[in-house]
Amino acid sequence: MLQDEGLERAVAWFRNQARFEERFAAAIRQSFDEVFDGQRTGRYRIEQLGKAEKTYIGTKVEIVVQDEFGLQRGRRLDYLVDEQEVDSKWSMTSGAWMIPTAAVGELCLCLTANDNRSEFRVGIVRAGDARLRAGLNKDKKRRLNDDGLSAMTWLVSRGDLAENLLLHLDDGIRDSILNPAFSGQRRVNELFRLVQQRIVRREVVLTVARQDDGPKRVRDARKALRGEGVIVLGHQQSHPRIAEALGLAIPPKGSWLSCRVVRDGGEGERTAEIAGASWRLARPGDQPEPGPAVYT
Amino acid sequence: MLQDEGLERAVAWFRNQARFEERFAAAIRQSFDEVFDGQRTGRYRIEQLGKAEKTYIGTKVEIVVQDEFGLQRGRRLDYLVDEQEVDSKWSMTSGAWMIPTAAVGELCLCLTANDNRSEFRVGIVRAGDARLRAGLNKDKKRRLNDDGLSAMTWLVSRGDLAENLLLHLDDGIRDSILNPAFSGQRRVNELFRLVQQRIVRREVVLTVARQDDGPKRVRDARKALRGEGVIVLGHQQSHPRIAEALGLAIPPKGSWLSCRVVRDGGEGERTAEIAGASWRLARPGDQPEPGPAVYT
């Protein structure tokens, strides 16, 4: 195979960016969430979008990736990556990127993600004519052929996308949480009551609340759920320590995690000291009891 | 003309909403600004958008209007307005709304805006077959004919859209402000130095700064511009009082306004008391002098 210096430079540039896999993941998650516009619409899955919105996801990904990596605009194509012109191509299906005439023979940054499987992938390929299928679609775009797909250099061949929590709930639980007869606050309470020990991102809270102050809704949920021993941990103050002591995931910034606790009676389980008392995770059979009044 | 009870109910419903004109204006402004995505892209005009983004503006307007007025989704069309099915139709050109087959004979909320003229309009029409042109476009949509346009009930026939400030600057001044060789902070400093006595919305600061903390950039601009007597007033604390005393517009929440001041020497002009001294607006010939050190 012939060398392709431009390809090598673009690939090397991305691979040299700190935490590039995580940043591609965040850019794609952010793009999906912005187009869902969950705070205004309550939507959480691709199938709920209109045609114009599905098309627009590719544009949003292009913009967010450019911003995330501080890329300059190209003269002919979307980006300039280490002086190489690179076009950004999005597809909801891996392999189905559509290459316009202007990008034939050019470097294409090909991105895709599957929200159901919480996966994404990113590769770069030079979309030479011999690597494209013969048939044009109505926009005169062509798909990569097998040679084209084989020639892809994967920057991330199978990366983890932050979970779309609402998408992955049982239908019954999701319906309880999204009940339109409830107030936004009550829906958020239901979220943290019914979905425990899982990371809940800010966007999920906003989609459930249909209101704009996520942190305030979480603070009020803490009050509402205290009586049944459900605590909601964030990323600040003593919360990471409590989460770790109980053996739970530590919520990253802008996310929360709830769990039900009871006072420890020396059962030999993991415990956390909260406001001077010792607490453990409740087992399903434990009687509910009020949780700690204050845990900051 | 025959009565159309459905039309009358939908029209009356919107007209009964508090500040409905202002809220339509805000929804359209917000939609444009979100699609420009100025903080990430530095863009401020429709012509800078791609095709998918231009199409998406209509979807964004539909979503933001729904959210702003707390409208329910219709069963067949976009909204349910006082139990009437209503479809939301956006066009960049007044009169050019495209009516799909599904909306023929239905109520259509027709919105348009002109960012160059800072104007928008909103009307409702029942898009009966006789009110539509004969020719279908490739999506099988039809425009309203003259009868259709005459039948429009205007909710806002000529409303004021918040000014797209960057769009309306002289090219030379805008180029100085958006200079890509400057840091984001320096660009914001230039904005308040070169564009005085005009309302600067938060989105303008973000587009200029290409960073996410607008208020922080403004605070730092105050420090940078103090030496030349330029003050930047917001909507809080003593700022509305100072703006009013100087005869300037009072910045609404989330916006600012800058002006150059000098110490008053009893010239008989409007003055504002700031931190114990008396200040007036500088005239072009006044020597620059440091402004008040503190004005909160």
Side-chain angles (χ1 to χ4, degrees):
Chain A
M1 200 178 134
L2 293 172
Q3 271 203 315
D4 184 334
E5 195 205 329
L7 173 70
E8 284 171 14
R9 284 177 66 177
V11 167
W13 187 90
F14 277 111
R15 287 188 173 149
N16 281 327
Q17 301 309 301
R19 304 175 299 102
F20 71 92
E21 177 164 342
E22 192 181 315
R23 290 161 74 190
F24 274 121
I28 294 170
R29 179 76 272 155
Q30 179 74 22
S31 299
F32 276 28
D33 290 345
E34 286 191 23
V35 182
F36 290 150
D37 203 350
Q39 180 184 327
R40 292 194 183 109
T41 68
R43 299 177 305 183
Y44 55 87
R45 66 164 91 221
I46 299 286
E47 294 76 11
Q48 294 170 318
L49 301 180
K51 191 173 155 229
E53 294 173 299
K54 287 179 188 168
T55 305
Y56 177 71
I57 286 182
T59 306
K60 188 96 281 187
V61 169
E62 177 212 316
I63 290 172
V64 181
V65 165
Q66 178 186 323
D67 182 59
E68 176 61 47
F69 290 99
L71 294 169
Q72 282 190 277
R73 298 298 290 174
R75 285 171 299 270
R76 293 178 288 114
L77 306 175
D78 293 329
Y79 308 143
L80 215 52
V81 180
D82 193 17
E83 299 173 4
Q84 311 307 304
E85 296 274 343
V86 176
D87 221 28
S88 173
K89 292 288 149 234
W90 169 260
S91 171
M92 292 303 304
T93 311
S94 183
W97 299 284
M98 300 306 296
I99 311 299
T101 311
V104 174
E106 303 280 1
L107 295 177
C108 292
L109 180 74
C110 297
L111 303 105
T112 186
N114 185 315
D115 220 5
N116 290 310
R117 290 205 306 266
S118 304
E119 284 175 15
F120 75 98
R121 57 193 330 199
V122 183
I124 304 187
V125 68
R126 185 174 294 280
D129 187 72
R131 290 173 173 170
L132 297 171
R133 293 189 187 179
L136 300 170
N137 78 351
K138 67 177 162 53
D139 295 326
K140 300 193 176 169
K141 293 180 180 176
R142 290 192 280 166
R143 282 178 64 152
L144 293 166
N145 60 21
D146 288 348
D147 282 353
L149 293 172
S150 303
M152 185 77 71
T153 303
W154 294 107
L155 295 169
V156 184
S157 67
R158 189 177 162 289
D160 291 330
L161 193 66
E163 189 190 24
N164 181 334
L165 181 70
L166 290 168
L167 185 61
H168 290 125
L169 295 179
D170 290 343
D171 289 348
I173 288 180
R174 184 171 52 232
D175 289 348
S176 301
I177 292 170
L178 297 179
N179 190 335
F182 290 171
S183 69
Q185 182 63 54
R186 187 161 165 204
R187 287 196 298 267
V188 173
N189 299 348
E190 285 298 292
L191 170 66
F192 287 112
R193 174 184 283 124
L194 297 176
V195 183
Q196 295 186 14
Q197 303 190 23
R198 287 171 78 170
I199 297 291
V200 177
R201 292 175 301 110
R202 176 176 169 278
E203 288 73 15
V204 175
V205 174
L206 295 175
T207 301
V208 170
R210 305 281 298 270
Q211 292 170 25
D212 68 358
D213 193 346
K216 167 77 170 133
R217 297 283 83 72
V218 174
R219 287 195 298 275
D220 287 352
R222 283 192 185 114
K223 292 176 201 159
L225 297 172
R226 186 191 161 238
E228 51 204 274
V230 173
I231 62 175
V232 185
L233 303 171
H235 76 285
Q236 287 179 308
Q237 299 176 299
S238 67
H239 292 187
R241 176 187 62 77
I242 296 172
E244 190 167 23
L246 294 172
L248 302 170
I250 296 177
K253 190 174 174 188
S255 65
W256 298 274
L257 172 149
S258 70
C259 60
R260 186 162 80 86
V261 295
V262 291
R263 281 192 193 251
D264 180 54
E267 292 90 347
E269 297 189 20
R270 301 181 72 133
T271 62
E273 297 300 309
I274 309 175
S278 188
W279 300 81
R280 64 170 172 82
L281 288 177
R283 287 173 298 219
D286 287 328
Q287 271 306 109
E289 59 180 271
V294 181
Y295 52 104
T296 48
Chain B
M1 201 178 133
L2 293 172
Q3 271 203 315
D4 183 335
E5 196 205 328
L7 172 70
E8 285 171 13
R9 285 176 64 176
V11 167
W13 188 89
F14 277 111
R15 288 188 173 151
N16 281 327
Q17 302 307 302
R19 306 177 294 105
F20 71 92
E21 176 165 344
E22 191 181 315
R23 291 160 74 189
F24 274 121
I28 294 170
R29 181 75 271 157
Q30 179 74 22
S31 299
F32 276 28
D33 289 345
E34 288 192 21
V35 181
F36 291 150
D37 202 349
Q39 180 183 327
R40 292 194 183 109
T41 67
R43 299 177 305 185
Y44 55 88
R45 68 164 89 222
I46 299 287
E47 294 75 12
Q48 294 170 316
L49 302 181
K51 192 174 155 227
E53 293 172 300
K54 287 179 187 167
T55 305
Y56 177 72
I57 286 182
T59 307
K60 186 98 281 185
V61 170
E62 177 214 315
I63 290 172
V64 181
V65 165
Q66 178 185 322
D67 182 60
E68 177 60 47
F69 290 99
L71 295 168
Q72 281 189 278
R73 298 298 290 174
R75 286 171 299 270
R76 293 179 287 113
L77 306 175
D78 292 330
Y79 309 143
L80 214 52
V81 179
D82 194 17
E83 299 174 3
Q84 312 306 303
E85 296 273 342
V86 176
D87 221 28
S88 173
K89 292 288 148 234
W90 170 261
S91 170
M92 291 304 304
T93 311
S94 183
W97 299 284
M98 299 306 296
I99 311 298
T101 312
V104 174
E106 305 280 0
L107 296 176
C108 293
L109 180 75
C110 297
L111 304 106
T112 186
N114 184 316
D115 220 5
N116 291 310
R117 291 205 306 266
S118 305
E119 285 176 14
F120 75 98
R121 57 193 328 201
V122 184
I124 305 187
V125 68
R126 186 173 294 282
D129 188 72
R131 291 174 173 169
L132 297 171
R133 293 189 187 178
L136 300 168
N137 78 350
K138 67 178 163 51
D139 296 326
K140 300 193 176 167
K141 294 179 181 176
R142 288 192 281 165
R143 283 178 63 151
L144 292 165
N145 61 23
D146 289 347
D147 282 352
L149 293 172
S150 305
M152 185 77 71
T153 304
W154 294 108
L155 295 170
V156 184
S157 68
R158 191 175 161 289
D160 291 331
L161 193 66
E163 187 190 26
N164 182 335
L165 181 69
L166 291 168
L167 186 61
H168 291 126
L169 296 179
D170 289 343
D171 290 348
I173 289 181
R174 185 171 51 231
D175 289 348
S176 300
I177 292 169
L178 297 179
N179 190 336
F182 290 173
S183 70
Q185 182 62 55
R186 188 162 165 202
R187 287 195 299 266
V188 173
N189 299 348
E190 285 299 293
L191 170 66
F192 287 112
R193 173 184 285 123
L194 297 176
V195 184
Q196 295 186 14
Q197 304 190 26
R198 286 173 77 171
I199 297 291
V200 178
R201 293 175 302 109
R202 176 179 169 277
E203 287 73 15
V204 175
V205 175
L206 296 176
T207 300
V208 170
R210 305 282 297 272
Q211 293 172 24
D212 67 359
D213 193 347
K216 166 78 169 131
R217 297 284 83 72
V218 175
R219 286 196 299 275
D220 288 352
R222 285 193 184 114
K223 292 177 202 160
L225 298 172
R226 186 190 163 239
E228 52 204 274
V230 174
I231 62 175
V232 185
L233 302 171
H235 76 285
Q236 287 179 307
Q237 300 174 299
S238 67
H239 292 188
R241 176 187 62 76
I242 296 172
E244 191 168 22
L246 295 172
L248 301 170
I250 297 177
K253 189 176 174 188
S255 63
W256 298 273
L257 172 148
S258 69
C259 60
R260 185 161 81 87
V261 294
V262 291
R263 279 191 196 253
D264 180 55
E267 293 90 347
E269 297 190 19
R270 300 182 71 133
T271 61
E273 296 300 308
I274 309 175
S278 189
W279 300 80
R280 64 170 172 82
L281 287 178
R283 287 173 296 222
D286 287 327
Q287 270 305 107
E289 58 180 272
V294 180
Y295 52 105
T296 48

